[in-house]
Amino acid sequence: MDSAISDRTQIPEGDVARRELTATADNGLKIVVVGGFGVGKTTLVRSVSEIRPLTTEETMTQAGQGIDETGGLDGLGGKTSTTVAFDFGRISLDAHNVLYLFGAPGQERFWFLWDRLFSGTLGAVVLVDARRIQDSWYAIDRLEHHGTPFIVARNDFGGPAHTPEQLREALDLDPGVPVIDCDARSRQSSKDVLITLVEHLTSLYAAQRGAPQETAQ
């Protein structure tokens, strides 16, 4: 199928019906979406956000050649803009809980922003292009360094048909990290990714609450 990554992809109107926002929410939960350059982070935030997403895109110029390397991959060759700070969107889980979505820039020269974006983060989605698995290693390393729970979502680019187990092995993931497939252009698919993350976080925190407390000797 065609590339799922283009940040200029037009989402069909029927797929982006936005919900009316409530004036307040009891809990605002911060989620970050990370991954390599051109894996579809901006596309995911745009497709699922119930507000007009804030983006910090700039046109790619000749000055970025050899720095923001597209690698000649299908779909990246036509990429004309790139995130230089972060993307921001919002989606309501229910009347009391809202997810605030932050899409991190993928280029190595902007990685210094990641540690600040991770501050106060409840959990993360690591978007992966199976044709460029190595581009996801840094994101996973930083999340593990910060102790931030995450899931891995393989964006559909029509690349190699790796099984989830093969992808887990290639990324050296803990057995407890969920690995799912998605199409970042689809609102429903992106919602399913966020639901999977929230369910993962819920089970983790429930397990922590149920763990016996150590007593001082």
Side-chain angles (χ1 to χ4, degrees):
M1 65 179 289
D2 294 336
S3 167
I5 134 65
S6 173
D7 291 342
R8 295 299 184 186
T9 298
Q10 296 298 313
I11 311 299
E13 288 188 10
D15 199 30
V16 291
R18 308 303 186 188
R19 296 172 53 185
E20 182 177 352
L21 301 184
T22 56
T24 61
D26 296 330
N27 299 306
L29 311 175
K30 181 180 178 182
I31 301 297
V32 296
V33 182
V34 296
F37 176 56
V39 296
K41 300 179 295 296
T42 297
T43 301
L44 186 146
V45 173
R46 282 179 170 172
S47 71
V48 79
S49 178
E50 62 193 4
I51 63 173
R52 181 183 295 276
L54 167 68
T55 59
T56 56
E57 289 192 305
E58 295 292 342
T59 301
M60 296 175 64
T61 65
Q62 290 184 346
Q65 292 184 359
I67 300 175
D68 299 333
E69 186 56 57
T70 65
L73 292 173
D74 294 339
L76 285 182
K79 185 173 174 65
T80 59
S81 62
T82 185
T83 300
V84 297
F86 61 85
D87 303 310
F88 174 76
R90 161 183 163 149
I91 182 170
S92 299
L93 295 180
D94 51 43
H96 304 287
N97 299 288
V98 171
L99 294 184
Y100 295 112
L101 308 176
F102 291 82
Q107 308 95 306
E108 183 175 353
R109 59 195 171 107
F110 295 125
W111 283 352
F112 71 93
L113 296 170
W114 285 22
D115 287 347
R116 293 188 179 183
L117 281 178
F118 290 166
S119 178
T121 295
L122 183 67
V125 175
V126 180
L127 270 186
V128 174
D129 178 351
R131 302 169 300 176
R132 299 179 290 139
I133 290 177
Q134 69 280 2
D135 290 356
S136 305
W137 291 340
Y138 180 79
I140 292 172
D141 178 73
R142 297 314 299 166
L143 290 168
E144 291 178 341
H145 172 77
H146 285 273
T148 303
F150 64 93
I151 69 168
V152 170
R154 176 174 52 185
N155 201 4
D156 187 357
F157 291 87
H162 300 309
T163 65
E165 292 74 21
Q166 290 173 327
L167 185 61
R168 181 183 303 278
E169 182 178 356
L171 293 172
D172 193 24
L173 298 176
D174 183 274
V177 176
V179 177
I180 63 173
D181 288 325
C182 76
D183 183 340
R185 300 168 299 182
S186 165
R187 178 172 171 79
Q188 184 58 54
S189 182
S190 296
K191 286 175 63 177
D192 290 342
V193 169
L194 297 178
I195 290 170
T196 300
L197 174 61
V198 171
E199 290 176 343
H200 177 54
L201 295 173
T202 300
S203 66
L204 285 179
Y205 292 127
Q208 291 176 3
R209 287 195 300 269
Q213 299 295 318
E214 294 184 3
T215 57
Q217 299 297 322

